[in-house]
Amino acid sequence: MAESLGLILLFGIISGFLCEKLKLPKLLGYLIVGIVIGPYSLGLINENMLLISADIRRLALIVILLRAGMGIQKEQLLEVGKPAFLLSFVPGVCEAITIMLLSTQFLGFSWIQGGILGFVIAAVSPAVVVPSMIGLMEKGKGSAKNIPLCILAGASIDDIVAITLFGSFLSMYGGEVNIFAQLLNIPISIGLGLLLGIIIGVIIVGIFKMFKLPIIQSTLLLLGSSIIVDSFGSHMEEFIEIATLLSIMTIAFILATKLQKETLVIKETLGSIWTGAEIFLFVLVGAEVNLEVAMQAGLVGIVMISIGLVARSFGVYLSLLPTNFTFQEKIFCMVSYAPKATVQAAIGGIPLASGVAGGETILAIAVLSIVLTAPLGAVGIKYFGNKYLE
C-alpha cells in the first residue's frame, strides 16, 4: 500500500504541475491520473488502498469543509440566505424530474425507476465545488456579492436533498411507500446537523480557551473531532439522517466567530494539509471511474445528462432571481452547479445491488455523468470565475 501512496503523490504532483502550466485546474490532472492508474485501467493502485479509498476521500473533504467554514462570516450568510436556500433544492429537483421523464421515454423505465436514476444524477459534487469556491474566495473573486459563498452554502445541502429523495424512490420500488416521512427527514437532517455542529463547536471553543493548546495540537483536535462527528452521522444513518457536512462547516464557523486570531493560524495549517489531501481526494475519485461501464450508457446517456444539465441550469437561474447577480455571474453559477463525482460514485451502484430492474443502466449513466461533468465543470469554474467574477 505504501507504493500506491507514493504513486498517487508522484503522479498527482506531476499532473497538477502540468495542468497549472496549461492554465487548467490541478484537480483535472488528479482526476485523469486516478482514471489511468486506477483498477479499471492500469491497476497500479493496491487493492487495500481501494478498500479505504472512501475513508481517505472523506477525510480530505472534511479538511476542505473546515477551511470553508472558517471563511464564512455571519453577515455574509444573512446576505446569501434566500438564494442559497433555493439553490439547495430547486436545481437538483428540476434536473431529477427531467431525467425521470426522459428515462420513461428513452429507457422504458417506470416513473419510480426514473426517480431513482434522476436523484442519483441530481447531486452536485462537494469534492469539486467546495475547493473551487474556496480558491475563488481566497482570491476575492465575487466577494462583493458573496457569489462563491452562495454556491458553497447551497451545495452543502443539495446532496442531502438528492440522497434523501433517492432513498425515498428506492423505498417505493421496494414497496415501502411513505414519501411524507422521507421528505420530513430533509429539514430534520439539516436541523440536527446544525445542532450537532453548534454543540461540538461550543465545546471545542471552551477547550481551546481553557487549555491554550499549541496550534498543531489545536488543529489535530479540531480535525479529530470533525472525523468523530462525521462517523457518528454514518452510524446514525440506520435511524436518522444527519447532515454532518453541515455540522463540520458549523463547527468551523463557530470557532472562527469566537476565536478569530487562533482560527487564522489553524486555517493556514489546514491549508498545508489540504495541499496533500486534495491529491488523494481527486486521484481516488478518478480511480472510481470505470470507463467501460460509462461507455455502456452510450449516446442516450449523453443526451439525457446534457438535457438534465440544461434543466438544472434553469433551476439555478430561477433560484438566483431574488439576487442582483448579473447575467454573466448567473452563467458562472450554472457552470459551478454542473460537476458530479463523489455522490454518484457512492450511490450509483446501490440500485443494481438492491435488485432494481435497469440497475446496470443506472450505474452506467451515473459513471458517465462523472466522466462528462467533473472535468468540464472544474475547467468551467476556473474559466468563468476568472472571466465573470470581479
Side-chain angles (χ1 to χ4, degrees):
M1 192 161 70
E3 183 181 346
S4 295
L5 290 171
L7 288 173
I8 290 171
L9 286 172
L10 177 62
F11 289 125
I13 290 169
I14 292 172
S15 65
F17 174 77
L18 291 175
C19 282
E20 282 192 317
K21 288 295 182 182
L22 296 171
K23 307 297 182 184
L24 296 170
K26 289 188 293 184
L27 66 86
L28 178 60
Y30 302 152
L31 286 168
I32 293 171
V33 165
I35 293 171
V36 172
I37 69 173
Y40 303 109
S41 295
L42 297 181
L44 300 180
I45 300 179
N46 186 282
E47 289 182 5
N48 292 327
M49 172 65 72
L50 296 171
L51 290 174
I52 62 170
S53 170
D55 291 329
I56 294 174
R57 285 185 280 125
R58 196 70 176 184
L59 178 59
L61 190 57
I62 288 171
V63 171
I64 197 62
L65 285 168
L66 287 172
R67 290 188 67 207
M70 290 177 180
I72 298 173
Q73 298 176 8
K74 184 165 61 176
E75 296 78 13
Q76 294 175 321
L77 275 180
L78 293 174
E79 184 177 333
V80 303
K82 185 175 181 179
F85 170 72
L86 293 173
L87 282 172
S88 69
F89 71 93
V90 174
V93 170
C94 286
E95 182 179 26
I97 291 175
T98 300
I99 289 179
M100 178 175 70
L101 294 174
L102 290 172
S103 68
T104 61
Q105 300 300 312
F106 291 166
L107 302 174
F109 278 9
S110 68
W111 67 274
I112 295 179
Q113 290 169 288
I116 293 172
L117 172 61
F119 284 104
V120 166
I121 303 302
V124 72
S125 171
V128 178
V129 173
V130 174
S132 298
M133 294 306 115
I134 292 293
L136 291 170
M137 288 167 70
E138 290 177 345
K139 292 177 183 176
K141 289 283 188 178
S143 58
K145 298 178 183 177
N146 295 313
I147 295 170
L149 176 60
C150 184
I151 295 170
L152 189 65
S156 66
I157 302 175
D158 173 277
D159 286 356
I160 301 165
V161 176
I163 292 171
T164 301
L165 290 172
F166 161 74
S168 301
F169 277 95
L170 197 61
S171 297
M172 284 189 279
Y173 186 86
E176 303 170 21
V177 184
N178 193 345
I179 189 68
F180 177 76
Q182 296 284 348
L183 290 174
L184 189 61
N185 281 339
I186 295 174
I188 292 174
S189 172
I190 295 169
L192 288 174
L194 287 170
L195 179 62
L196 182 60
I198 291 169
I199 292 171
I200 301 300
V202 170
I203 291 173
I204 292 175
V205 167
I207 292 172
F208 283 3
K209 286 182 177 179
M210 187 181 300
F211 295 105
K212 304 294 182 183
L213 297 171
I215 290 301
I216 188 63
Q217 291 186 13
S218 299
T219 304
L220 292 174
L221 174 64
L222 175 62
L223 192 55
S225 302
S226 301
I227 293 170
I228 295 299
V229 166
D230 190 57
S231 298
F232 174 73
S234 298
H235 291 310
M236 292 298 292
E237 282 179 355
E238 184 179 348
F239 310 102
I240 186 75
E241 190 82 28
I242 300 175
T244 52
L245 297 185
L246 201 56
S247 300
I248 293 164
M249 288 182 65
T250 303
I251 291 169
F253 171 73
I254 290 175
L255 196 63
T257 304
K258 301 295 183 182
L259 300 171
Q260 295 181 3
K261 186 177 178 181
E262 292 88 340
T263 301
L264 287 173
V265 187
I266 292 174
K267 189 178 179 183
E268 289 180 5
T269 307
L270 287 170
S272 300
I273 296 173
W274 172 246
T275 301
E278 69 171 333
I279 297 175
F280 285 98
L281 173 61
F282 293 111
V283 170
L284 291 173
V285 166
E288 295 282 341
V289 175
N290 187 335
L291 291 177
E292 186 177 339
V293 170
M295 293 306 103
Q296 291 174 8
L299 182 60
V300 170
I302 294 173
V303 170
M304 289 179 62
I305 291 167
S306 301
I307 296 175
L309 287 175
V310 172
R312 185 177 190 84
S313 297
F314 178 68
V316 172
Y317 184 82
L318 289 178
S319 302
L320 297 177
L321 286 178
T323 69
N324 62 345
F325 294 1
T326 65
F327 181 71
Q328 288 84 355
E329 288 166 343
K330 290 175 182 176
I331 292 291
F332 165 77
C333 294
M334 293 175 192
V335 173
S336 298
Y337 249 59
K340 305 170 189 305
T342 39
V343 176
Q344 287 71 27
I347 68 174
I350 291 178
L352 178 60
S354 302
V356 175
E360 301 93 341
T361 303
I362 292 172
L363 175 59
I365 295 176
V367 175
L368 183 62
S369 73
I370 300 173
V371 174
L372 292 178
T373 65
L376 291 176
V379 172
I381 289 172
K382 182 172 183 178
Y383 175 78
F384 288 106
N386 289 328
K387 185 174 182 179
Y388 290 154
L389 297 188
E390 297 181 0

